[in-house]
Amino acid sequence: MSEEQFWLLVSLKLSGEATPEELALLDSEISQSPEKRFKADLLVQIWLEKEKSVQLYEKDNYNRHLQRLSNHLADPQLRYEVGETGSIAVRRRSTFLKWGIGIAAAVAIVFVILFAVTTKDNLYKTSTSKNVVSTKRGSKSRIQLPDGSIVFLNADSRIVYDENFSGVLREVTLFGEAYFDVAQDKNHPFVIHAGGLDIKVLGTTFNVRSYADEKNTETCLITGAVEITIRNNSDKKIILKPNEKLLVKNSISPSSGNTGAVTYEEEEPMMILSKIQFHSSDSSSVIETQWTRNTLAFEGERLEDVARKIERWYDVRVVIADESLKNNTYSGIFEDETLSQVIRALQLTGGFKYSIDKKEVIIKK
Amino acid sequence: ADMVRQLKAIIQSLPPQCRLVFQLVKEEDMRYKEVAAVLNLSVFTVRNQLAIAIRKIGEAMPSYLLPQGIINDKFSRS
């Protein structure tokens, strides 16, 4: 048997996709070779190890205990056991009767505890309190959510979430721009509502940009995968893979009168799926997320859009006095530089004159 | 903890599609068919990508563990 074949069998076993013949073949391999058995053991151990670094529901001991119980219930049916012949069995989605009894017992225990403490407010809050974090222009913020997820909030943005993340879903509403690093929890999908999109997370890091005064809502995926649904067209689902970016037009529907509804316009495409631009082969230099490193960056963007980014970054007002200048495109990366340094740098390439007066920048021919 | 760090490094060094398949199957508990649908690949490709990931991890790890004498513990019989 080749090394390649051996590892294929191991991977099939770990994922639960191995046929009985494949399992038998692997068993005979490892019973003949202690070295192979060791390697297989090791992979099983790695595969079954859960991330202990993320702690869900940090609140009090009671909630943690409850969480542990419910984890046991929801545990994927991966089990590590040693059979008669000494082989290691990794069984998935098994339907053995004793599992059923074990689960029933655990459920019963949970119910008993629930009944015993019905006076606890935490469990029965029907109206859960919401946390709102906002940033002003010129400032950014880093937040940790109740499940350990991290959110970097860019300037002039707001995020709303349940104080406890107590529902089936972990929900967040975003206005503005944020970079998310979502903690793993496959039992509680993480959903972000932003400008008419619902972004369901499949364990990952990504950037969402949804300012009300901009034309589009943009989602950029860095690692993992996300599934995006347009709120009014629930049959339209798009899945983003790493280094893909989705732009959806923002429109305010005249009938509902609130932001977030997306309407179809004849001339321009409603959605564009494209690749994220890199500066080099290093993924940490993605343009769209440079802001999380305190770096102002734009590439081939119209002066009008650049001006808006600058307004939020430095908390100033930028006026482009000459219409014809608005369409010129600029690229730049600025780390730790002042407003006047940035404007001067742009001017060197750009063919305009400018004046800065306290918090107002005027750009003219 | 050190092993975890080493493991994370190996996973990071996997080719993008390979890493993604590995994460979806391991962390999200998805079946090959589901991953294939999500990523628009054939089940065959998913199967092979996972095998590649497991192999890379399997080949990189034991060298780390040897000094700790785990092999000796397990294989005291000759």
Side-chain angles (χ1 to χ4, degrees):
Chain A
M1 167 176 299
S2 68
E3 276 292 300
E4 202 178 322
Q5 220 180 336
F6 170 69
W7 289 116
L8 175 62
L9 288 177
V10 171
S11 71
L12 285 168
K13 177 175 242 167
L14 294 180
S15 62
E17 304 262 0
T19 64
E21 297 82 28
E22 287 162 343
L23 291 178
L25 189 54
L26 180 61
D27 269 355
S28 87
E29 266 305 291
I30 60 181
S31 64
Q32 288 166 28
S33 160
E35 191 191 329
K36 293 215 160 112
R37 176 180 304 187
F38 167 68
K39 288 181 180 171
D41 268 6
L42 182 56
L43 262 300
V44 168
Q45 213 181 322
I46 290 174
W47 189 266
L48 295 180
E49 183 184 352
K50 290 217 176 253
E51 290 261 353
K52 295 175 197 131
S53 51
V54 174
Q55 197 175 29
L56 304 165
Y57 302 91
E58 316 173 325
K59 291 287 176 175
D60 53 8
N61 276 323
Y62 168 75
N63 272 341
R64 249 182 262 141
H65 176 66
L66 197 62
Q67 185 59 38
R68 253 181 261 133
L69 273 180
S70 69
N71 271 345
H72 173 73
L73 284 181
D75 216 8
Q77 301 77 341
L78 272 172
R79 275 216 296 171
Y80 181 93
E81 47 177 80
V82 179
E84 310 158 359
T85 56
S87 66
I88 300 94
V90 177
R91 222 166 305 144
R92 188 187 171 101
R93 296 170 204 260
S94 66
T95 53
F96 291 166
L97 184 59
K98 56 179 176 170
W99 257 110
I101 291 175
I103 289 173
V107 170
I109 294 172
V110 170
F111 275 133
V112 165
I113 293 180
L114 276 179
F115 274 121
V117 282
T118 48
T119 50
K120 272 264 184 180
D121 287 334
N122 291 357
L123 286 181
Y124 290 121
K125 261 196 232 189
T126 41
S127 60
T128 49
S129 51
K130 297 229 184 249
N131 272 354
V132 180
V133 181
S134 356
T135 49
K136 302 185 307 243
R137 292 173 167 229
S139 74
K140 297 182 253 322
S141 174
R142 181 190 184 277
I143 305 154
Q144 186 166 48
L145 302 179
D147 66 341
S149 300
I150 299 190
V151 182
F152 284 91
L153 204 57
N154 201 353
D156 195 20
S157 305
R158 184 165 82 238
I159 145 175
V160 182
Y161 59 96
D162 245 20
E163 197 174 43
N164 292 319
F165 270 174
S166 47
V168 171
L169 300 177
R170 296 177 282 165
E171 289 182 79
V172 158
T173 306
L174 170 72
F175 306 91
E177 180 165 25
Y179 179 88
F180 293 83
D181 188 345
V182 177
Q184 296 278 2
D185 182 2
K186 51 184 163 250
N187 301 318
H188 297 88
F190 195 99
V191 177
I192 300 170
H193 306 290
L197 302 184
D198 295 327
I199 301 166
K200 179 171 157 203
V201 174
L202 307 171
T204 73
T205 56
F206 55 98
N207 201 69
V208 180
R209 189 181 171 89
S210 172
Y211 285 104
D213 59 353
E214 287 186 357
K215 265 187 7 192
N216 298 316
T217 292
E218 173 188 293
T219 311
C220 287
L221 186 63
I222 310 297
T223 65
V226 294
E227 179 188 277
I228 302 178
T229 313
I230 301 182
R231 220 173 279 162
N232 292 340
N233 289 349
S234 51
D235 52 340
K236 281 208 167 77
K237 284 187 206 251
I238 299 120
I239 301 211
L240 280 193
K241 289 175 261 174
N243 306 334
E244 286 185 344
K245 161 167 140 176
L246 181 71
L247 276 138
V248 177
K249 272 176 83 63
N250 289 336
S251 306
I252 300 178
S253 149
S255 50
S256 61
N258 59 340
T259 57
V262 175
T263 56
Y264 180 70
E265 291 188 12
E266 302 272 347
E267 288 90 356
E268 302 171 46
M270 186 162 82
M271 269 195 299
I272 306 175
L273 181 64
S274 59
K275 293 275 174 197
I276 299 178
Q277 306 152 319
F278 282 123
H279 251 248
S280 58
S281 54
D282 169 21
S283 75
S284 69
S285 65
V286 169
I287 284 276
E288 286 85 351
T289 58
Q290 282 304 308
W291 64 268
T292 59
R293 292 185 171 73
N294 256 322
T295 298
L296 175 63
F298 37 88
E299 184 148 327
E301 295 181 36
R302 293 170 62 240
L303 184 60
E304 196 176 6
D305 299 324
V306 171
R308 228 185 335 244
K309 277 192 173 172
I310 291 178
E311 281 185 333
R312 290 198 187 99
W313 195 267
Y314 293 104
D315 190 17
V316 294
R317 201 166 114 77
V318 177
V319 176
I320 305 177
D322 210 312
E323 279 296 314
S324 62
L325 292 170
K326 281 189 185 170
N327 286 316
N328 295 342
T329 59
Y330 294 86
S331 305
I333 300 193
F334 301 97
E335 190 171 344
D336 272 340
E337 300 195 38
T338 65
L339 174 63
S340 52
Q341 283 171 328
V342 171
I343 303 282
R344 187 164 43 199
L346 292 180
Q347 186 212 29
L348 288 176
T349 53
F352 57 78
K353 289 205 193 112
Y354 68 92
S355 62
I356 303 184
D357 177 24
K358 284 191 206 171
K359 289 215 154 200
E360 187 170 277
V361 178
I362 303 184
I363 296 186
K364 53 204 172 200
K365 267 226 167 100
Chain B
D2 224 354
M3 171 162 149
V4 172
R5 220 183 329 127
Q6 168 118 353
L7 181 62
K8 282 193 193 238
I10 297 169
I11 295 175
Q12 274 307 112
S13 73
L14 292 172
Q17 184 170 278
C18 193
R19 180 172 68 223
L20 188 51
V21 168
F22 176 77
Q23 284 169 341
L24 290 182
V25 177
K26 178 179 190 282
E27 306 293 342
E28 302 295 324
D29 249 337
M30 289 167 80
R31 315 233 48 180
Y32 287 0
K33 249 200 215 163
E34 293 166 343
V35 176
V38 163
L39 298 182
N40 202 24
L41 304 166
S42 72
V43 173
F44 202 64
T45 305
V46 173
R47 188 179 86 141
N48 289 345
Q49 291 285 285
L50 185 67
I52 291 172
I54 295 294
R55 177 179 186 171
K56 290 209 163 172
I57 295 173
E59 286 175 344
M61 292 304 278
S63 55
Y64 174 84
L65 287 173
L66 278 172
Q68 308 204 347
I70 287 190
I71 285 197
N72 293 335
D73 287 340
K74 276 200 179 288
F75 303 114
S76 50
R77 303 174 281 157
S78 54

